[in-house]
């Protein structure tokens, strides 16, 4: 069997160039993140909503109801007010929801967004090997319970995963920062 060296070289270069670039955090970012988590006081503003892509969302995308640049599985929140705020044992959120609702949640004056304001239950923090944190807790809106999982990364990026009893799960990506009072 004859080995084609140019092909092996080209294949190796392609594989190496496709590998993910690791984003390094500065020591200052690491300290900020550690302090935010230790004080249980931060706010997350999201750039993107990543709903579970379903047939219904695909039909909305194909019909042209989504904004330019958005898709059924990735919707820009830039320019839209949204936040998840954690302060001691209290959490509040004002997050738009995109996805399928399994039972009615939009009556009694609510707009279908994910809004909760009150105490957290079962708050748990885990520091991961890559200096990131995983925070989980339960929160309650006026009509629904949510399992909340937050991933905070050393470069101050964040992921929020919300699982409600009446909705399909949704994920938000953005940045974490201190609460400015």
């Amino acid at each position: 069997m004859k080995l084609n060296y140019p092909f092996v070289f080209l294949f190796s270069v392609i594989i190496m160039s496709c590998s993910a670039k690791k984003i390094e955090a500065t020591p200052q970012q690491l300290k900020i993140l550690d302090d935010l988590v230790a004080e249980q006081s931060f706010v997350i503003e999201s750039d993107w909503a990543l709903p579970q892509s379903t047939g219904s969302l695909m039909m909305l995308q194909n019909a042209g109801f989504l904004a330019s640049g958005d898709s059924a599985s990735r919707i820009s929140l830039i320019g839209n007010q949204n936040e998840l705020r954690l302060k001691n044992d209290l959490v509040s959120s004002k997050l738009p929801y995109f996805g399928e609702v399994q039972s009615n949640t939009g009556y009694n004056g609510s707009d279908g967004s994910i809004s909760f304001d009150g105490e957290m239950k079962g708050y748990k923090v885990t520091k991961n090997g890559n200096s990131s944190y995983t925070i989980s807790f339960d929160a309650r809106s006026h009509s629904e319970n949510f399992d909340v999982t937050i991933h905070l990364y050393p470069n101050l990026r964040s992921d929020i995963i919300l699982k409600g009893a009446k909705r399909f799960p949704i994920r938000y990506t953005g940045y974490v920062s201190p609460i400015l009072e």
Side-chain angles (χ1 to χ4, degrees), residues 42 86 120-126 133-139 146-151 161:
F42 55 83
L86 190 122
M120 299 177 285
K121 304 283 187 212
Y123 182 83
K124 180 182 172 189
V125 176
T126 305
Y133 287 91
T134 301
I135 300 170
S136 61
F137 56 88
D138 297 327
F146 289 93
D147 293 330
V148 180
T149 304
I150 301 171
H151 299 286
I161 302 168

Side-chain angles (χ1 to χ4, degrees), residues 108-119:
N108 300 326
S110 73
D111 60 4
S113 65
I114 298 175
S115 299
F116 39 82
D117 193 5
E119 280 191 35

Side-chain angles (χ1 to χ4, degrees), residues 6-99:
F7 177 74
V8 171
F9 175 75
L10 181 62
F11 183 74
S12 299
V13 169
I14 290 172
I15 294 296
M16 294 172 106
S17 67
C18 290
S19 65
K21 180 181 176 185
K22 185 176 180 181
I23 299 173
E24 296 293 326
T26 66
Q28 180 184 12
Q29 287 175 319
L30 290 170
K31 180 172 178 6
I32 290 171
L33 182 61
D34 290 341
D35 291 346
L36 291 175
V37 173
E39 294 170 7
Q40 289 186 5
S41 179
F42 55 83
V43 63
I44 296 173
E45 186 172 338
S46 298
D47 297 333
W48 294 96
L50 304 157
Q52 182 175 334
S53 186
T54 62
S56 299
L57 283 173
M58 291 301 294
M59 288 190 318
L60 289 173
Q61 176 182 319
N62 293 339
F65 285 112
L66 299 178
S68 177
D70 290 346
S71 70
S73 60
R74 185 173 164 107
I75 298 170
S76 175
L77 298 179
I78 296 171
N80 295 317
Q81 196 170 19
N82 70 84
E83 71 174 20
L84 185 136
R85 183 179 296 259
L86 190 122
K87 180 100 169 135
N88 301 320
D89 292 334
L90 300 176
V91 64
S92 64
S93 77
K94 294 174 185 76
L95 296 167
Y97 180 73
F98 304 93

